[in-house]
Amino acid sequence: MALIAIPTTTVTCTDGTTDSYVGLNPNTDSDYKVQAFVDCFKDVAINASSICYNLPIKLVLAQWVGECGWATGSSQKANQNFSNMVYSSPTNPVGNIGKGMGGIESLSWAKFEGKSKHATGYGHFFINNSRYASLISYLQYCQLQHSIPDASVCANTIANAGFGGSDHKAYYENLIAWMKTI
């Protein structure tokens, strides 16, 4: 058995730019599944991190991993929404092109055209939603201090703000576990 790259295709977006539309992770071996995911998403995770005041890249990748099951979720593929972001308006998160499919019916799942648009939307999502103000304050403080943000502090702040639902402790523990797999 050998590592198989996650398939991507180049798509032209509605704004005229191009992006990479990500297919499903074809790997069944857990080590290959991890490596293929990181290989596919690391570049855009770096972009999301830089947009969001250096949110730790390992946390970015871990949250995407957990939310999309290592790029094996059909809803996440169809929506190109690897973090299961929901939206409150057509322009939030940035790059959202409309109501996605799947998920919980009462929520409006964001839909993106590819992985770069998703990463940009993800980075701005925390900045543009006031419930993550403490996360942004912490990240800005770290930048001013020229220090590296603690991924577990960020994970706890994201969980406590409700990203993963009402069981904040369980979501925080999931984020920590997902980071350990990367």
Side-chain angles (χ1 to χ4, degrees):
M1 180 176 274
L3 174 69
I4 304 168
I6 297 173
T8 61
T9 54
T10 302
V11 294
T12 301
C13 301
T14 55
D15 64 4
T17 62
T18 59
D19 202 347
S20 295
Y21 185 92
V22 179
L24 295 176
N25 192 336
N27 296 283
T28 55
D29 176 85
S30 60
D31 290 337
Y32 290 149
K33 193 176 283 191
V34 170
Q35 189 61 53
F37 187 90
V38 171
D39 290 349
C40 183
F41 287 96
K42 186 174 183 182
D43 60 332
V44 295
I46 291 169
N47 183 49
S49 169
S50 68
I51 289 168
C52 194
Y53 304 101
N54 297 321
L55 182 65
I57 295 166
K58 190 169 191 168
L59 174 58
V60 172
L61 286 168
Q63 189 169 25
W64 297 354
V65 155
E67 293 289 343
C68 77
W70 299 103
T72 60
S74 58
S75 292
Q76 292 81 11
K77 175 188 172 256
N79 298 330
Q80 292 295 284
N81 183 348
F82 306 99
S83 57
N84 289 332
M85 283 181 284
V86 297
Y87 68 91
S88 56
S89 75
T91 59
N92 182 17
V94 172
N96 174 50
I97 60 168
K99 185 170 172 48
M101 60 183 265
I104 301 169
E105 292 303 318
S106 63
L107 299 176
S108 299
W109 297 97
K111 183 173 181 161
F112 300 93
E113 294 168 292
K115 69 178 183 175
S116 294
K117 296 284 187 184
H118 167 260
T120 299
Y122 175 88
H124 286 285
F125 183 78
F126 296 114
I127 295 168
N128 294 340
N129 288 289
S130 60
R131 69 181 179 169
Y132 300 104
S134 60
L135 171 68
I136 299 307
S137 293
Y138 171 71
L139 293 169
Q140 289 173 328
Y141 173 80
C142 289
Q143 278 191 335
L144 288 172
Q145 298 300 312
H146 303 289
S147 62
I148 298 169
D150 184 299
S152 64
V153 169
C154 294
N156 191 48
T157 306
I158 289 169
N160 285 337
F163 192 100
S166 61
D167 190 343
H168 304 166
K169 183 178 185 276
Y171 193 68
Y172 167 74
E173 290 170 354
N174 284 337
L175 288 171
I176 297 302
W178 296 331
M179 280 193 282
K180 289 178 181 177
T181 64
I182 296 177

